[in-house]
Amino acid sequence: MGKLVKRAGVLAVGAVIFFSSVSFKTDFFEIAKQIEIFTTLFKEINMNYVDETNPPQLMDTAIKAMLQDLDPYTNYWNEQDVEAARINNSGEYTGIGATIKMGKDAITIVEPYKGYPADKAGLKAGDEIIKIGNIDVSDFEEDAGELLNGAENSTIDFTYRRQGEVKTTTLTRGSVNLKAVPYYKLLEDNSGYIVLSRFNAKAAVETARALKDLKNQGAQKIILDLRGNPGGLLSEAINVSNIFVDKGELIVSTKSVIEKYNKEYFSQNEPVDTKVPLVVLLDGRSASASEIVAGAIQDLDRGVIIGARSFGKGLVQRPKELAYGTQLKVTISRYYTPSGRCIQALDYRSRDEEGNAIRTKTEDYNQFTTRNGRTVFDGGGILPDIRLETSEYSGITQALLTQSAIFDFATEYYYKHNLENLQDFRLTQSDYDNFREFLKTSGFYYQTDTEKELEEVLLTAQKEGFEDKIIQEYKSISSEIDQYKIKELEEKKPEITSLLTDEIIKRYFYKEGLYDYYVVHNPEIIEAQDLFKNQQRYAEILN
């Protein structure tokens, strides 16, 4: 299997499902009634519709439409999805060894893993697979990614598009082992740097092993990098926290309208080291299990958090077995850090006019205190003790990521530049100017919240007959916003440059090379090292 973009777990941290009252859950007559109505409707449609129907596809559509009213993390899994979840939790599978992105007409290689089948076959990030064997991806009605599956040592022919040129290659599927800790290293100042990229079943074991090895090499302080870690198994989040805190500490608690899901989770094992100075790195893509670890470390005053506010996913999910090997991944509870805060950012019970979940406003955050009496807040992820611009994800940066503008520019850069020495790379002002020009021709579109509100005002004015009276003001404000967006590309340059640097380096030196670059040049790691040098500042932050 080549697709590793779905995140799941036996007990995973995810989103929120909410029922208006307990009585709804216990009204079995009403549930039975609605099931009977749906069953009879489904039967009549398939027996009487004018054209031939596809029952599995109809049912899949019906289930997904129903779940859309709840939240984006309560999902129905077919047999393939269940297998993908098992693979993600184990970190081992047979496939092409690459992260991919599904498109309507092609499968894009997002990241080939060094030394694995896709890499050996010459595939690069940005390559668009348009044909698998004799099947055109655009003609395949199901998930074309499933065509990448197959037995170990089996071969598969690809036709792909690279920079407008069509090429072919043959790939031999192989065993892929994705480590939870893909990189760790002793730095020159005797700091131990550990990257924890996923909370699969190996997360705690690999983190503990890396810590012990670094201590044996002489590490006297530790940097735990959770940036970009989307989470995973709740049990592993608890065990990773336990590496740095005493046995018997409350790590996280869960609360639900269903009493059996109200639980407290304590560290169960003897720690590896509770005294070593510790920094945890976070960014806007650090979510769920990452936030449990960071929240516990912060609330227990065990270490300092550096980076940017995390994603804000404060909810717990559990897969429920259904018929024929399928599953329902359903949110069962919210989780709370040791201080009692829930850091969920989006409220799926409250929706705007477009049906989008409402984000908790800063003024609505509640105040809590850590063990040492420091003030922390709920409602919007874990706020670092030290915030850095290079870790932030502003609105325009999120748009650049969502629309793959940074990814596509890095692809173009790779085929125009030779880069032989990793440590010599710097994204220059000229490179950034080229990126800004690239955006003008790439179809990139960024709409601010203000623009959305203005459009609604104009639509309302049209209905009420005031359009002619406000159109000039509308155009004037729109023009000012356009000028602001141009300036915003410069104002947000540190965070955009950081992401561009990451993406470009991976093209030449893979993820391993990126980490080698980090330990010399990354602003967050440098900030952590500077903090370790200033023991008084470190102690003052925690006290």
Side-chain angles (χ1 to χ4, degrees), residues 31-82:
I31 294 174
K33 173 184 173 182
Q34 297 304 322
I35 290 175
E36 185 176 356
I37 291 172
F38 179 79
T39 301
T40 53
L41 178 145
F42 186 70
K43 176 182 176 183
E44 293 300 329
I45 286 177
N46 285 285
M47 291 181 65
N48 298 295
Y49 188 68
V50 61
D51 294 321
E52 184 177 352
T53 60
N54 184 330
Q57 189 173 20
L58 279 177
M59 181 59 74
D60 193 65
T61 300
I63 292 172
K64 290 178 179 178
M66 175 177 63
L67 296 181
Q68 280 180 352
D69 279 347
L70 302 177
D71 64 71
Y73 306 104
T74 296
N75 296 314
Y76 165 72
W77 287 345
N78 59 30
E79 296 95 324
Q80 290 77 25
D81 296 330
V82 172

Side-chain angles (χ1 to χ4, degrees), residues 406-429:
I406 289 174
F407 179 86
D408 292 340
F409 178 77
T411 301
E412 185 176 284
Y413 186 98
Y414 176 78
Y415 291 106
K416 289 183 177 180
H417 299 80
N418 291 321
L419 181 59
E420 296 180 357
N421 191 324
L422 170 66
Q423 300 301 342
D424 287 344
F425 176 74
R426 298 290 187 282
L427 194 78
T428 66
Q429 182 61 48

Side-chain angles (χ1 to χ4, degrees), residues 91-108:
E92 299 177 358
Y93 70 100
T94 299
I96 71 170
T99 302
I100 65 169
K101 180 176 69 175
M102 295 300 305
K104 182 178 179 182
D105 300 319
I107 300 172
T108 302

Side-chain angles (χ1 to χ4, degrees), residues 160-176:
Y160 63 97
R161 189 167 48 238
R162 175 183 292 173
Q163 297 290 286
E165 183 180 352
V166 176
K167 298 175 175 286
T168 60
T169 189
T170 298
L171 178 151
T172 302
R173 298 180 182 94
S175 177
V176 179

Side-chain angles (χ1 to χ4, degrees), residues 33 46 150 187 228 235 275-276 281 289 314 332 348 357 403 449 458 462 465 492 508:
K33 173 184 173 182
N46 285 285
L187 309 187
S235 58
K275 301 299 182 182
V276 64
L281 305 183
I332 59 171
Y348 294 101
Q403 298 180 42
D449 290 338
L458 185 61
Q462 288 174 338
K492 304 302 181 183
Y508 295 92

